Amino acid sequence: MKKVFNFYFMIFCLIGFFTVNVESTSAAPSATIKLTTIETEVLKENRQEKIISLSKATPIIVLSETEGWTKIQYKTVIGFIKSEYLKSVSPQYMLVKSQNEPLVRVTNKQHSGSIGKLYLNSIVELYGSNSTDFVFIKYGGLAGYVNKHALIKPTGKKMKVKASKDLVVRSIASSSSDDIGTLRKNSNVTMLTNLKGWAFVTSESLSGYVPMSGLTTPVQKAVPPKPSKPKSAQPVKGKKIALTFDDGPHPKVTRQILQTLDKYNAKATFFVIGQEVVKYPEVLKEVYEAGHEIGNHTYNHEKLTTLSQKEVNHQIQSTDELIKSVIGKNATVFRPPYGSYDETVIKQLKVPSVMWTIDTLDWKHRDPEKTALAIEEQVNNGSIILMHDIHQATADALETILIDLQIQGYTFVTVSELLKK
């Protein structure tokens, strides 16, 4: 009987040890993530026996620090590293975007144990990983590995803390989470997401979640489009705006844009690149014959302020000649690449140089929803909207844009029509 008792007692102890060990090696809540600065060993508590070696720039969870040693967790391993071999780093903020809420795992293996899920549209701190499929992230107290395809770079939006009161910043999107600081009323922030009434914001001093109700959109001062000479947008009668497309023509995207514009009886201005006209003269002819305005956008999109007077002249003149050879008429407007111009450029022009009042940044994010949202948030009477007819996402966004703006009572005219006094 005693032997049986001893046997079960030993089994009980082993089960208890295993349970404690599993819990201690999961990714425990931590406020600190650091990276290794060199290839280094993780040692047992006696600081003598090696557990594993870590390569340089490996993210680890800091559990405690004392007398030059740091107790760390790496995946399922807990051990000690000399503190001098670790450094703090600023994380990269990423937006969770996938079909389902992604699992956070203990290791960078697909079938390793999970320790939690990430909310869709939440912002996480990315610290990287040597794995090709998994990256190391932290969300509040949750730290571990997640499939990198579930994360994308967020698009920031300028916001302002309301004047009524200061805002408490929290580690996750919950009023019961850790308080990590305060944003003063009227301070400026950049919002990276809106998650169920919680906004993740960044400022010069701290980043985290605040109630969306505590933020407001800053009042934008009207800024006249550059260059003010020879031509700038003027107030117009009625609700009119000008859609402009740069960098084409493109054999597929431009044609899809033409079809959509025709469907909604909308006119636009196309600022074309000379070298693209050489490739696709028939597309330029289709744009012109559909009743749209043709503008000169230089021969190969060089930044004109970096060129000599002779080179500037070639960029403009050669493109003018190409346009005329295809449609039989000269370009009626000009737009400098990157909006970069000076007196040398202006002296070369025989037509108005026209900038924009709304930059959709379609070239940057390639996202139809973001393109449409940029216009929705900024449009007003007399707007000149910048897009590019070389990106499929822009063509895909156009129908939504036209429908929304027509509902608001806007009509679509060429830049020259808009700028007529």
Side-chain angles (χ1 to χ4, degrees):
M1 184 69 181
K2 185 176 182 180
K3 290 182 178 180
V4 173
F5 175 82
N6 289 338
F7 172 78
Y8 281 109
F9 179 78
M10 184 172 64
I11 294 298
F12 175 80
C13 290
L14 286 173
I15 291 173
F17 171 79
F18 179 77
T19 302
V20 171
N21 191 54
V22 169
E23 290 177 349
S24 66
T25 56
S26 65
S30 169
T32 307
I33 307 296
K34 289 190 176 183
L35 297 187
T36 54
T37 57
I38 61 172
E39 182 176 348
T40 185
E41 296 179 343
V42 179
L43 303 178
K44 292 185 177 180
E45 192 168 1
N46 59 16
R47 316 293 203 272
Q48 300 296 323
E49 297 177 71
K50 168 186 168 183
I51 306 176
I52 58 170
S53 292
L54 299 180
S55 59
K56 181 180 179 180
T58 300
I60 57 91
I61 302 172
V62 173
L63 301 180
S64 62
E65 296 180 71
T66 180
E67 297 179 350
W69 288 89
T70 300
K71 187 177 183 181
I72 65 98
Q73 178 175 324
Y74 171 70
K75 298 182 180 179
T76 58
V77 172
I78 292 179
F80 293 82
I81 293 178
K82 285 188 176 182
S83 299
E84 62 187 283
Y85 298 155
L86 298 173
K87 68 173 180 178
S88 299
V89 291
S90 297
Q92 179 181 0
Y93 295 113
M94 299 294 284
L95 179 67
V96 179
K97 277 288 185 182
S98 62
Q99 291 184 340
N100 302 303
E101 294 178 339
L103 294 174
V104 181
R105 300 186 181 277
V106 178
T107 77
N108 56 356
K109 302 297 182 184
Q110 179 65 39
H111 301 294
S112 65
S114 65
I115 54 175
K117 289 183 178 180
L118 296 175
Y119 290 117
L120 300 181
N121 294 319
S122 61
I123 292 291
V124 299
E125 299 175 7
L126 171 65
Y127 291 91
S129 170
N130 293 329
S131 168
T132 56
D133 295 318
F134 284 81
V135 288
F136 189 85
I137 62 90
K138 176 176 172 288
Y139 175 75
L142 185 65
Y145 294 84
V146 69
N147 193 306
K148 69 177 182 180
H149 301 296
L151 307 177
I152 64 171
K153 290 184 178 180
T155 300
K157 180 182 179 181
K158 299 298 182 184
M159 300 292 283
K160 196 179 190 73
V161 176
K162 288 183 177 179
S164 53
K165 64 177 182 178
D166 297 343
L167 280 185
V168 174
V169 182
R170 301 194 176 275
S171 59
I172 63 173
S174 170
S175 57
S176 60
S177 64
D178 293 339
D179 175 348
I180 59 175
T182 302
L183 288 172
R184 297 294 184 188
K185 53 189 176 184
N186 288 320
S187 58
N188 295 313
V189 297
T190 299
M191 182 177 73
L192 301 185
T193 192
N194 180 357
L195 173 62
K196 298 179 181 180
W198 287 88
F200 185 92
V201 299
T202 63
S203 69
E204 293 182 358
S205 56
L206 76 166
S207 301
Y209 287 88
V210 298
M212 188 67 196
S213 58
L215 301 177
T216 185
T217 303
V219 178
Q220 299 289 338
K221 293 182 179 180
V223 178
K226 285 178 61 183
S228 57
K229 58 180 181 180
K231 206 74 174 177
S232 61
Q234 301 292 329
V236 293
K237 293 181 179 180
K239 297 182 71 173
K240 296 179 181 179
I241 57 176
L243 304 174
T244 67
F245 299 92
D246 288 10
D247 297 357
H250 186 280
K252 180 185 177 184
V253 178
T254 303
R255 282 178 169 141
Q256 181 178 333
I257 287 173
L258 288 177
Q259 292 175 358
T260 306
L261 291 171
D262 180 64
K263 181 178 178 179
Y264 292 92
N265 193 31
K267 297 304 178 187
T269 302
F270 291 77
F271 290 93
V272 300
I273 298 290
Q275 64 182 10
E276 300 306 309
V277 173
V278 173
K279 296 178 188 176
Y280 311 111
E282 70 285 356
V283 182
L284 175 62
K285 193 170 183 181
E286 290 173 27
V287 174
Y288 175 72
E289 290 179 348
H292 303 291
E293 184 172 26
I294 307 300
N296 183 331
H297 199 41
T298 74
Y299 184 78
N300 60 354
H301 210 270
E302 290 280 349
K303 189 174 184 180
L304 298 181
T305 54
T306 66
L307 305 181
S308 67
Q309 183 174 341
K310 183 178 179 181
E311 289 170 326
V312 170
N313 180 267
H314 171 73
Q315 287 283 334
I316 299 172
Q317 188 64 33
S318 62
T319 305
D320 274 338
E321 292 171 359
L322 282 168
I323 292 171
K324 187 171 184 179
S325 70
V326 174
I327 67 174
K329 292 188 176 181
N330 293 319
T332 50
V333 283
F334 174 81
R335 175 173 284 166
Y338 312 105
S340 180
Y341 75 100
D342 55 19
E343 289 297 327
T344 299
V345 175
I346 291 174
K347 289 178 181 178
Q348 302 273 355
L349 299 178
K350 299 177 182 178
V351 295
S353 179
V354 181
M355 303 294 276
W356 54 87
T357 60
I358 298 176
D359 186 352
T360 62
L361 298 176
D362 59 339
W363 59 271
K364 184 177 182 180
H365 52 67
R366 313 285 179 90
D367 185 325
E369 291 184 4
K370 291 179 180 178
T371 299
L373 183 61
I375 296 172
E376 177 186 338
E377 292 179 338
Q378 302 177 64
V379 70
N380 52 50
N381 189 30
S383 291
I384 300 176
I385 300 170
L386 170 61
M387 293 179 281
H388 297 79
D389 59 324
I390 57 173
H391 303 308
Q392 184 60 46
T394 301
D396 294 339
L398 185 57
E399 185 162 24
T400 298
I401 293 168
L402 294 177
I403 291 173
D404 289 347
L405 293 176
Q406 281 191 345
I407 290 173
Q408 296 179 55
Y410 288 104
T411 57
F412 310 99
V413 298
T414 65
V415 160
S416 290
E417 291 178 277
L418 188 71
L419 295 178
K420 285 180 181 178
K421 294 184 179 179

mmCIF file of all heavy atoms in Angstrom, residues 258-290:
data_model
loop_
_atom_site.group_PDB
_atom_site.id
_atom_site.type_symbol
_atom_site.label_atom_id
_atom_site.label_comp_id
_atom_site.label_asym_id
_atom_site.label_seq_id
_atom_site.Cartn_x
_atom_site.Cartn_y
_atom_site.Cartn_z
ATOM 1 N N LEU A 258 -11.365 55.803 -68.843
ATOM 2 C CA LEU A 258 -12.165 56.446 -69.896
ATOM 3 C C LEU A 258 -13.583 55.890 -69.921
ATOM 4 O O LEU A 258 -14.557 56.638 -70.065
ATOM 5 C CB LEU A 258 -11.502 56.248 -71.258
ATOM 6 C CG LEU A 258 -10.226 57.048 -71.532
ATOM 7 C CD1 LEU A 258 -9.656 56.681 -72.904
ATOM 8 C CD2 LEU A 258 -10.486 58.545 -71.447
ATOM 9 N N GLN A 259 -13.717 54.579 -69.784
ATOM 10 C CA GLN A 259 -15.044 53.959 -69.795
ATOM 11 C C GLN A 259 -15.884 54.436 -68.622
ATOM 12 O O GLN A 259 -17.080 54.731 -68.764
ATOM 13 C CB GLN A 259 -14.909 52.437 -69.761
ATOM 14 C CG GLN A 259 -14.323 51.837 -71.031
ATOM 15 C CD GLN A 259 -14.083 50.337 -70.907
ATOM 16 O OE1 GLN A 259 -14.319 49.740 -69.857
ATOM 17 N NE2 GLN A 259 -13.609 49.726 -71.984
ATOM 18 N N THR A 260 -15.267 54.540 -67.451
ATOM 19 C CA THR A 260 -16.001 54.980 -66.262
ATOM 20 C C THR A 260 -16.389 56.451 -66.377
ATOM 21 O O THR A 260 -17.521 56.834 -66.036
ATOM 22 C CB THR A 260 -15.153 54.759 -65.000
ATOM 23 O OG1 THR A 260 -14.730 53.396 -64.938
ATOM 24 C CG2 THR A 260 -15.949 55.086 -63.748
ATOM 25 N N LEU A 261 -15.482 57.284 -66.850
ATOM 26 C CA LEU A 261 -15.793 58.702 -67.039
ATOM 27 C C LEU A 261 -16.946 58.882 -68.022
ATOM 28 O O LEU A 261 -17.855 59.699 -67.801
ATOM 29 C CB LEU A 261 -14.550 59.450 -67.547
ATOM 30 C CG LEU A 261 -13.392 59.607 -66.546
ATOM 31 C CD1 LEU A 261 -12.163 60.171 -67.258
ATOM 32 C CD2 LEU A 261 -13.784 60.511 -65.384
ATOM 33 N N ASP A 262 -16.933 58.100 -69.097
ATOM 34 C CA ASP A 262 -18.001 58.191 -70.104
ATOM 35 C C ASP A 262 -19.338 57.764 -69.507
ATOM 36 O O ASP A 262 -20.379 58.375 -69.795
ATOM 37 C CB ASP A 262 -17.641 57.313 -71.304
ATOM 38 C CG ASP A 262 -18.705 57.368 -72.395
ATOM 39 O OD1 ASP A 262 -18.908 58.455 -72.974
ATOM 40 O OD2 ASP A 262 -19.355 56.323 -72.643
ATOM 41 N N LYS A 263 -19.321 56.735 -68.671
ATOM 42 C CA LYS A 263 -20.543 56.212 -68.050
ATOM 43 C C LYS A 263 -21.236 57.286 -67.216
ATOM 44 O O LYS A 263 -22.472 57.341 -67.151
ATOM 45 C CB LYS A 263 -20.197 55.004 -67.178
ATOM 46 C CG LYS A 263 -21.380 54.357 -66.490
ATOM 47 C CD LYS A 263 -20.927 53.140 -65.689
ATOM 48 C CE LYS A 263 -22.088 52.478 -64.942
ATOM 49 N NZ LYS A 263 -21.640 51.286 -64.174
ATOM 50 N N TYR A 264 -20.464 58.162 -66.594
ATOM 51 C CA TYR A 264 -21.031 59.188 -65.714
ATOM 52 C C TYR A 264 -20.931 60.592 -66.321
ATOM 53 O O TYR A 264 -21.079 61.588 -65.609
ATOM 54 C CB TYR A 264 -20.354 59.130 -64.345
ATOM 55 C CG TYR A 264 -20.699 57.860 -63.608
ATOM 56 C CD1 TYR A 264 -19.887 56.736 -63.728
ATOM 57 C CD2 TYR A 264 -21.849 57.761 -62.836
ATOM 58 C CE1 TYR A 264 -20.214 55.545 -63.074
ATOM 59 C CE2 TYR A 264 -22.180 56.586 -62.184
ATOM 60 C CZ TYR A 264 -21.358 55.471 -62.313
ATOM 61 O OH TYR A 264 -21.685 54.308 -61.673
ATOM 62 N N ASN A 265 -20.666 60.640 -67.608
ATOM 63 C CA ASN A 265 -20.616 61.915 -68.341
ATOM 64 C C ASN A 265 -19.684 62.914 -67.662
ATOM 65 O O ASN A 265 -20.016 64.085 -67.464
ATOM 66 C CB ASN A 265 -22.021 62.512 -68.468
ATOM 67 C CG ASN A 265 -22.079 63.646 -69.478
ATOM 68 O OD1 ASN A 265 -21.321 63.650 -70.457
ATOM 69 N ND2 ASN A 265 -22.967 64.599 -69.260
ATOM 70 N N ALA A 266 -18.507 62.436 -67.271
ATOM 71 C CA ALA A 266 -17.540 63.268 -66.560
ATOM 72 C C ALA A 266 -16.332 63.560 -67.450
ATOM 73 O O ALA A 266 -15.879 62.691 -68.197
ATOM 74 C CB ALA A 266 -17.075 62.561 -65.292
ATOM 75 N N LYS A 267 -15.827 64.783 -67.351
ATOM 76 C CA LYS A 267 -14.622 65.157 -68.083
ATOM 77 C C LYS A 267 -13.457 65.279 -67.102
ATOM 78 O O LYS A 267 -13.635 65.573 -65.924
ATOM 79 C CB LYS A 267 -14.829 66.485 -68.816
ATOM 80 C CG LYS A 267 -15.926 66.426 -69.879
ATOM 81 C CD LYS A 267 -15.669 65.328 -70.908
ATOM 82 C CE LYS A 267 -16.800 65.251 -71.941
ATOM 83 N NZ LYS A 267 -16.634 64.082 -72.829
ATOM 84 N N ALA A 268 -12.243 65.070 -67.616
ATOM 85 C CA ALA A 268 -11.051 65.114 -66.769
ATOM 86 C C ALA A 268 -9.878 65.648 -67.567
ATOM 87 O O ALA A 268 -9.973 65.887 -68.776
ATOM 88 C CB ALA A 268 -10.738 63.711 -66.235
ATOM 89 N N THR A 269 -8.765 65.845 -66.887
ATOM 90 C CA THR A 269 -7.528 66.298 -67.517
ATOM 91 C C THR A 269 -6.454 65.242 -67.287
ATOM 92 O O THR A 269 -6.258 64.791 -66.157
ATOM 93 C CB THR A 269 -7.077 67.644 -66.932
ATOM 94 O OG1 THR A 269 -8.124 68.607 -67.132
ATOM 95 C CG2 THR A 269 -5.796 68.128 -67.609
ATOM 96 N N PHE A 270 -5.771 64.858 -68.368
ATOM 97 C CA PHE A 270 -4.727 63.834 -68.314
ATOM 98 C C PHE A 270 -3.370 64.476 -68.578
ATOM 99 O O PHE A 270 -3.121 65.007 -69.674
ATOM 100 C CB PHE A 270 -5.000 62.736 -69.343
ATOM 101 C CG PHE A 270 -6.199 61.892 -69.022
ATOM 102 C CD1 PHE A 270 -7.495 62.367 -69.253
ATOM 103 C CD2 PHE A 270 -6.042 60.618 -68.491
ATOM 104 C CE1 PHE A 270 -8.604 61.579 -68.955
ATOM 105 C CE2 PHE A 270 -7.156 59.820 -68.179
ATOM 106 C CZ PHE A 270 -8.434 60.312 -68.420
ATOM 107 N N PHE A 271 -2.500 64.474 -67.564
ATOM 108 C CA PHE A 271 -1.140 64.999 -67.712
ATOM 109 C C PHE A 271 -0.231 63.828 -68.115
ATOM 110 O O PHE A 271 0.087 62.963 -67.289
ATOM 111 C CB PHE A 271 -0.666 65.630 -66.407
ATOM 112 C CG PHE A 271 -1.379 66.923 -66.072
ATOM 113 C CD1 PHE A 271 -2.506 66.920 -65.261
ATOM 114 C CD2 PHE A 271 -0.937 68.136 -66.581
ATOM 115 C CE1 PHE A 271 -3.173 68.095 -64.951
ATOM 116 C CE2 PHE A 271 -1.582 69.317 -66.284
ATOM 117 C CZ PHE A 271 -2.708 69.301 -65.468
ATOM 118 N N VAL A 272 0.180 63.813 -69.371
ATOM 119 C CA VAL A 272 0.842 62.636 -69.925
ATOM 120 C C VAL A 272 2.366 62.768 -69.917
ATOM 121 O O VAL A 272 2.918 63.874 -69.956
ATOM 122 C CB VAL A 272 0.349 62.339 -71.355
ATOM 123 C CG1 VAL A 272 -1.149 62.079 -71.357
ATOM 124 C CG2 VAL A 272 0.698 63.489 -72.305
ATOM 125 N N ILE A 273 3.011 61.609 -69.877
ATOM 126 C CA ILE A 273 4.472 61.510 -69.940
ATOM 127 C C ILE A 273 4.880 61.213 -71.377
ATOM 128 O O ILE A 273 4.332 60.305 -72.011
ATOM 129 C CB ILE A 273 4.973 60.370 -69.018
ATOM 130 C CG1 ILE A 273 4.603 60.658 -67.565
ATOM 131 C CG2 ILE A 273 6.471 60.171 -69.164
ATOM 132 C CD1 ILE A 273 5.350 61.781 -66.938
ATOM 133 N N GLY A 274 5.872 61.952 -71.881
ATOM 134 C CA GLY A 274 6.284 61.802 -73.271
ATOM 135 C C GLY A 274 6.675 60.379 -73.642
ATOM 136 O O GLY A 274 6.272 59.852 -74.688
ATOM 137 N N GLN A 275 7.454 59.714 -72.801
ATOM 138 C CA GLN A 275 7.916 58.372 -73.145
ATOM 139 C C GLN A 275 6.766 57.360 -73.155
ATOM 140 O O GLN A 275 6.845 56.336 -73.849
ATOM 141 C CB GLN A 275 9.015 57.915 -72.182
ATOM 142 C CG GLN A 275 8.594 57.765 -70.734
ATOM 143 C CD GLN A 275 9.755 57.363 -69.832
ATOM 144 O OE1 GLN A 275 10.917 57.363 -70.244
ATOM 145 N NE2 GLN A 275 9.438 57.021 -68.589
ATOM 146 N N GLU A 276 5.691 57.653 -72.428
ATOM 147 C CA GLU A 276 4.518 56.778 -72.480
ATOM 148 C C GLU A 276 3.678 57.065 -73.723
ATOM 149 O O GLU A 276 3.052 56.152 -74.273
ATOM 150 C CB GLU A 276 3.660 56.962 -71.220
ATOM 151 C CG GLU A 276 4.387 56.651 -69.922
ATOM 152 C CD GLU A 276 5.019 55.265 -69.930
ATOM 153 O OE1 GLU A 276 4.318 54.283 -70.255
ATOM 154 O OE2 GLU A 276 6.234 55.165 -69.636
ATOM 155 N N VAL A 277 3.685 58.300 -74.178
ATOM 156 C CA VAL A 277 3.008 58.645 -75.436
ATOM 157 C C VAL A 277 3.665 57.910 -76.599
ATOM 158 O O VAL A 277 2.995 57.426 -77.509
ATOM 159 C CB VAL A 277 3.032 60.169 -75.659
ATOM 160 C CG1 VAL A 277 2.474 60.507 -77.042
ATOM 161 C CG2 VAL A 277 2.234 60.885 -74.573
ATOM 162 N N VAL A 278 5.004 57.804 -76.563
ATOM 163 C CA VAL A 278 5.723 57.063 -77.600
ATOM 164 C C VAL A 278 5.259 55.611 -77.649
ATOM 165 O O VAL A 278 5.081 55.024 -78.717
ATOM 166 C CB VAL A 278 7.252 57.122 -77.351
ATOM 167 C CG1 VAL A 278 7.997 56.211 -78.310
ATOM 168 C CG2 VAL A 278 7.751 58.558 -77.473
ATOM 169 N N LYS A 279 5.037 55.016 -76.471
ATOM 170 C CA LYS A 279 4.627 53.603 -76.394
ATOM 171 C C LYS A 279 3.163 53.405 -76.787
ATOM 172 O O LYS A 279 2.815 52.429 -77.455
ATOM 173 C CB LYS A 279 4.823 53.078 -74.967
ATOM 174 C CG LYS A 279 6.249 53.040 -74.481
ATOM 175 C CD LYS A 279 6.267 52.552 -73.027
ATOM 176 C CE LYS A 279 7.635 52.658 -72.402
ATOM 177 N NZ LYS A 279 7.608 52.278 -70.959
ATOM 178 N N TYR A 280 2.294 54.341 -76.352
ATOM 179 C CA TYR A 280 0.860 54.119 -76.523
ATOM 180 C C TYR A 280 0.168 55.339 -77.136
ATOM 181 O O TYR A 280 -0.732 55.939 -76.532
ATOM 182 C CB TYR A 280 0.217 53.792 -75.169
ATOM 183 C CG TYR A 280 0.946 52.718 -74.398
ATOM 184 C CD1 TYR A 280 1.633 53.029 -73.215
ATOM 185 C CD2 TYR A 280 0.969 51.399 -74.846
ATOM 186 C CE1 TYR A 280 2.305 52.050 -72.509
ATOM 187 C CE2 TYR A 280 1.643 50.421 -74.145
ATOM 188 C CZ TYR A 280 2.315 50.749 -72.984
ATOM 189 O OH TYR A 280 2.987 49.772 -72.290
ATOM 190 N N PRO A 281 0.562 55.733 -78.346
ATOM 191 C CA PRO A 281 -0.059 56.916 -78.957
ATOM 192 C C PRO A 281 -1.554 56.748 -79.198
ATOM 193 O O PRO A 281 -2.323 57.707 -79.110
ATOM 194 C CB PRO A 281 0.708 57.058 -80.281
ATOM 195 C CG PRO A 281 1.249 55.683 -80.561
ATOM 196 C CD PRO A 281 1.566 55.117 -79.227
ATOM 197 N N GLU A 282 -1.973 55.492 -79.475
ATOM 198 C CA GLU A 282 -3.390 55.269 -79.752
ATOM 199 C C GLU A 282 -4.249 55.512 -78.504
ATOM 200 O O GLU A 282 -5.401 55.943 -78.614
ATOM 201 C CB GLU A 282 -3.616 53.846 -80.288
ATOM 202 C CG GLU A 282 -3.426 52.720 -79.276
ATOM 203 C CD GLU A 282 -1.982 52.399 -78.925
ATOM 204 O OE1 GLU A 282 -1.056 53.001 -79.518
ATOM 205 O OE2 GLU A 282 -1.772 51.521 -78.067
ATOM 206 N N VAL A 283 -3.695 55.255 -77.325
ATOM 207 C CA VAL A 283 -4.446 55.501 -76.088
ATOM 208 C C VAL A 283 -4.603 57.005 -75.864
ATOM 209 O O VAL A 283 -5.672 57.479 -75.473
ATOM 210 C CB VAL A 283 -3.756 54.847 -74.871
ATOM 211 C CG1 VAL A 283 -4.571 55.081 -73.604
ATOM 212 C CG2 VAL A 283 -3.559 53.359 -75.102
ATOM 213 N N LEU A 284 -3.541 57.765 -76.108
ATOM 214 C CA LEU A 284 -3.636 59.220 -75.989
ATOM 215 C C LEU A 284 -4.703 59.769 -76.938
ATOM 216 O O LEU A 284 -5.490 60.643 -76.560
ATOM 217 C CB LEU A 284 -2.281 59.864 -76.303
ATOM 218 C CG LEU A 284 -2.283 61.402 -76.323
ATOM 219 C CD1 LEU A 284 -2.663 61.964 -74.954
ATOM 220 C CD2 LEU A 284 -0.933 61.931 -76.761
ATOM 221 N N LYS A 285 -4.744 59.216 -78.144
ATOM 222 C CA LYS A 285 -5.741 59.676 -79.119
ATOM 223 C C LYS A 285 -7.150 59.381 -78.616
ATOM 224 O O LYS A 285 -8.064 60.201 -78.777
ATOM 225 C CB LYS A 285 -5.505 58.989 -80.457
ATOM 226 C CG LYS A 285 -6.286 59.615 -81.607
ATOM 227 C CD LYS A 285 -5.840 59.047 -82.945
ATOM 228 C CE LYS A 285 -6.579 59.729 -84.086
ATOM 229 N NZ LYS A 285 -6.174 59.181 -85.407
ATOM 230 N N GLU A 286 -7.346 58.233 -77.978
ATOM 231 C CA GLU A 286 -8.666 57.886 -77.426
ATOM 232 C C GLU A 286 -9.062 58.861 -76.323
ATOM 233 O O GLU A 286 -10.232 59.245 -76.211
ATOM 234 C CB GLU A 286 -8.634 56.457 -76.879
ATOM 235 C CG GLU A 286 -8.532 55.377 -77.956
ATOM 236 C CD GLU A 286 -8.336 53.993 -77.354
ATOM 237 O OE1 GLU A 286 -8.775 53.779 -76.198
ATOM 238 O OE2 GLU A 286 -7.740 53.123 -78.024
ATOM 239 N N VAL A 287 -8.095 59.259 -75.492
ATOM 240 C CA VAL A 287 -8.378 60.218 -74.419
ATOM 241 C C VAL A 287 -8.852 61.541 -75.012
ATOM 242 O O VAL A 287 -9.864 62.114 -74.579
ATOM 243 C CB VAL A 287 -7.128 60.450 -73.540
ATOM 244 C CG1 VAL A 287 -7.389 61.557 -72.518
ATOM 245 C CG2 VAL A 287 -6.715 59.168 -72.833
ATOM 246 N N TYR A 288 -8.138 62.017 -76.006
ATOM 247 C CA TYR A 288 -8.457 63.301 -76.628
ATOM 248 C C TYR A 288 -9.813 63.247 -77.337
ATOM 249 O O TYR A 288 -10.646 64.156 -77.199
ATOM 250 C CB TYR A 288 -7.360 63.693 -77.606
ATOM 251 C CG TYR A 288 -7.659 64.962 -78.379
ATOM 252 C CD1 TYR A 288 -7.606 66.199 -77.745
ATOM 253 C CD2 TYR A 288 -8.004 64.910 -79.730
ATOM 254 C CE1 TYR A 288 -7.891 67.372 -78.444
ATOM 255 C CE2 TYR A 288 -8.280 66.070 -80.442
ATOM 256 C CZ TYR A 288 -8.240 67.298 -79.795
ATOM 257 O OH TYR A 288 -8.523 68.442 -80.485
ATOM 258 N N GLU A 289 -10.050 62.181 -78.077
ATOM 259 C CA GLU A 289 -11.294 62.072 -78.835
ATOM 260 C C GLU A 289 -12.506 61.891 -77.932
ATOM 261 O O GLU A 289 -13.643 62.137 -78.355
ATOM 262 C CB GLU A 289 -11.186 60.902 -79.825
ATOM 263 C CG GLU A 289 -10.202 61.193 -80.964
ATOM 264 C CD GLU A 289 -10.060 60.041 -81.937
ATOM 265 O OE1 GLU A 289 -10.541 58.926 -81.617
ATOM 266 O OE2 GLU A 289 -9.488 60.247 -83.026
ATOM 267 N N ALA A 290 -12.274 61.463 -76.677
ATOM 268 C CA ALA A 290 -13.383 61.349 -75.723
ATOM 269 C C ALA A 290 -13.731 62.694 -75.092
ATOM 270 O O ALA A 290 -14.644 62.782 -74.260
ATOM 271 C CB ALA A 290 -13.022 60.347 -74.636
#
